[in-house]
């Protein structure tokens, strides 16, 4: 069975908004184009997702692309809420961990592609039905002051 990647889009409540399975050699930014037309608001990303073409593509769709700035770029003014949200990468990692461990989608010895697909789909459904998904406590972030600050390199 060839190596594959599972790309996820989640919201602040830990709910899956989009899922895409690609071959292992696909750029992690490419599948976002498939999700983007159904999304709105802001997309928070880590430094690995920064690309000029992606920022322009999302802006044309009305989506704000918020990310930390690489060392070779000028600082960007972000409001405290966006700064706090960028620090919440742990939510994505927790969702991935629950999919792998609790829903058992990381099984490596499938005997056929159909068994692989059934196991993956069953794990995604099991996660969707979980009553207590990881979530962000947004009421804590709202208390931050609204004055924008520059993010240092």
């Amino acid at each position: 069975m060839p190596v594959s990647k599972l790309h996820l889009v989640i919201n602040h409540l830990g709910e899956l908004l989009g899922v895409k399975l690609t071959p292992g050699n696909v750029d992690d930014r490419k599948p976002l184009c498939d999700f983007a037309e159904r999304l709105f608001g802001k997309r928070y990303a880590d430094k690995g997702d920064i690309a000029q073409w992606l920022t322009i593509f999302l802006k044309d769709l009305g989506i704000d692309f918020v990310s930390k700035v690489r060392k070779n770029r000028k600082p960007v003014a972000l409001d405290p809420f966006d700064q706090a949200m960028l620090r919440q990468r742990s939510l994505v990692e927790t969702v991935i961990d629950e999919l792998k461990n609790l829903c058992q989608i990381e099984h490596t010895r499938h005997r056929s592609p159909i068994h692989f697909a059934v196991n993956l789909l069953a794990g995604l459904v099991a996660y969707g039905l979980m009553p207590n998904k990881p979530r962000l406590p947004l009421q804590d972030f709202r208390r931050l002051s609204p004055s924008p600050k520059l993010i240092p390199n």
Side-chain angles (χ1 to χ4, degrees):
M1 187 94 205
V3 176
S4 54
K5 287 184 190 176
L6 185 66
H7 303 271
L8 305 172
V9 176
I10 64 170
N11 64 11
H12 65 285
L13 300 174
E15 298 168 335
L16 298 175
L17 301 179
V19 177
K20 182 163 180 133
L21 188 66
T22 63
N25 61 353
V26 171
D27 183 0
D28 290 340
R29 296 170 289 202
K30 294 284 184 188
L32 182 59
C33 298
D34 299 331
F35 296 127
E37 292 180 3
R38 297 183 304 257
L39 300 176
F40 60 91
K42 295 184 179 188
R43 196 246 190 227
Y44 295 96
D46 57 6
K47 291 180 185 179
D49 291 341
I50 297 172
Q52 187 67 28
W53 67 267
L54 184 58
T55 304
I56 294 168
F57 176 76
L58 293 175
K59 190 158 199 80
D60 289 344
L61 293 174
I63 300 171
D64 291 330
F65 185 77
V66 181
S67 67
K68 292 183 179 178
V69 180
R70 289 187 178 158
K71 291 181 181 179
N72 61 351
R73 300 234 175 145
K74 295 178 184 176
V76 176
L78 292 177
D79 64 44
F81 181 79
D82 287 341
Q83 289 177 13
M85 290 298 288
L86 284 173
R87 289 191 297 269
Q88 296 303 311
R89 174 80 183 155
S90 62
L91 176 67
V92 175
E93 300 301 333
T94 303
V95 169
I96 292 169
D97 182 63
E98 288 195 3
L99 282 168
K100 285 181 179 179
N101 297 315
L102 296 179
C103 301
Q104 301 175 354
I105 65 168
E106 191 181 36
H107 176 50
T108 57
R109 294 179 303 275
H110 297 288
R111 295 184 181 189
S112 75
I114 292 174
H115 292 159
F116 169 75
V118 168
N119 184 63
L120 178 62
L121 186 59
L124 292 172
V125 169
Y127 178 80
L129 295 174
M130 286 175 50
N132 297 322
K133 296 177 187 65
R135 59 180 53 209
L136 292 180
L138 288 183
Q139 65 276 8
D140 295 340
F141 294 130
R142 299 281 181 200
R143 292 188 206 129
L144 297 172
S145 65
S147 61
K149 297 179 182 174
L150 291 178
I151 293 180
N153 294 338

